[in-house]
Amino acid sequence: MSRAPTSIQPPDAGHTAHRFFVIQELLGTPELARFYTDLLINSPTTVTAVRERQGFSKSTAYKYANTLAELGIAEELDRYEDGSSLWRAEPVSGNWTDETTIELGPVLIAVYGATSVDDDLDLFIDRHGKAALAPAVMATLEYLTGETTRRGVAADLGVPAVEAIAVTQVIERIIAVVKASDPTLDDVTFRVDVHDRAIEQAPYQRADA
């Protein structure tokens, strides 16, 4: 991956460069990506609520909220809940082109964020490198849309079947929770159901679910 994300809007060098910087910042800081994901899927919500769901300290949570505001993908609203300000995050997405094109969006950001709390994702990265997660997400989407099997994912990724099964199970839980907040998946229809019990084990939860 050596080129900046390509805008899906009319060409605008400044806009594209900004999204490149934002996505790089999120993918490079898993805990920030995890905070962003929780804020996004539960918007509007309070920093306190995100902090409690994700286990951040008060200072870290507000630091991340302010960082997202500085990046231009979250804002503090003039509305309150239980005495705390409500915040809202916006989805960020783009295309990254190298030998292949990878569509970057909230789901991919959420998966990278979950590496800070999920042992299976952490083990997968330890064995295959951080860059291997993006193809794993794409392969899991293909599995959920009925285009391949879990063993087919293993063959595509070049990893043992047991590892492919473990990583796709984690990723599909995240996709099931985050999909509604990812505009890049608006036109995607899943043919494989993710069981409610599996979703309950996801590192992200919708407060209104």
Side-chain angles (χ1 to χ4, degrees), residues 56-125:
F56 290 115
S57 69
K58 182 177 181 179
S59 60
T60 297
Y62 277 96
K63 179 183 74 173
Y64 285 157
N66 290 327
T67 297
L68 295 177
E70 291 170 2
L71 291 172
I73 56 174
E75 63 176 334
E76 185 176 6
L77 307 176
D78 190 20
R79 294 163 52 193
Y80 301 86
E81 183 177 278
D82 298 328
S84 298
S85 298
L86 287 168
W87 283 70
R88 178 176 61 209
E90 300 295 336
V92 60
S93 61
N95 293 332
W96 204 306
T97 301
D98 193 8
E99 295 179 358
T100 186
T101 297
I102 296 176
E103 195 161 30
L104 306 176
V107 159
L108 185 65
I109 292 168
V111 172
Y112 273 89
T115 61
S116 60
V117 292
D118 189 278
D119 291 340
D120 286 321
L121 290 179
D122 186 53
L123 180 60
F124 186 81
I125 287 177

Side-chain angles (χ1 to χ4, degrees), residues 29-178:
T29 315
E31 290 197 339
L32 177 63
R34 183 157 54 91
F35 183 92
Y36 162 76
T37 299
D38 192 292
L39 179 60
L40 175 68
I41 66 175
N42 289 296
S43 287
T45 188
T46 65
V47 172
T48 298
V50 177
R51 174 172 73 86
E52 292 176 348
R53 282 189 294 264
Q54 294 297 327
F56 290 115
S57 69
K58 182 177 181 179
S59 60
T60 297
Y62 277 96
K63 179 183 74 173
Y64 285 157
N66 290 327
T67 297
L68 295 177
E70 291 170 2
L71 291 172
I73 56 174
E75 63 176 334
E76 185 176 6
L77 307 176
D78 190 20
R79 294 163 52 193
Y80 301 86
E81 183 177 278
D82 298 328
S84 298
S85 298
L86 287 168
W87 283 70
R88 178 176 61 209
E90 300 295 336
V92 60
S93 61
N95 293 332
W96 204 306
T97 301
D98 193 8
E99 295 179 358
T100 186
T101 297
I102 296 176
E103 195 161 30
L104 306 176
V107 159
L108 185 65
I109 292 168
V111 172
Y112 273 89
T115 61
S116 60
V117 292
D118 189 278
D119 291 340
D120 286 321
L121 290 179
D122 186 53
L123 180 60
F124 186 81
I125 287 177
D126 184 57
R127 291 179 174 175
H128 306 288
K130 191 173 182 179
L133 264 188
V137 173
M138 295 176 65
T140 304
L141 285 169
E142 291 178 354
Y143 164 72
L144 291 172
T145 55
E147 298 175 39
T148 188
T149 64
R150 291 197 197 273
R151 292 190 178 278
V153 170
D156 290 341
L157 298 179
V159 303
V162 65
E163 292 186 22
I165 291 171
V167 76
T168 55
Q169 286 177 335
V170 175
I171 293 173
E172 71 181 29
R173 296 169 193 156
I174 296 172
I175 292 174
V177 176
V178 181

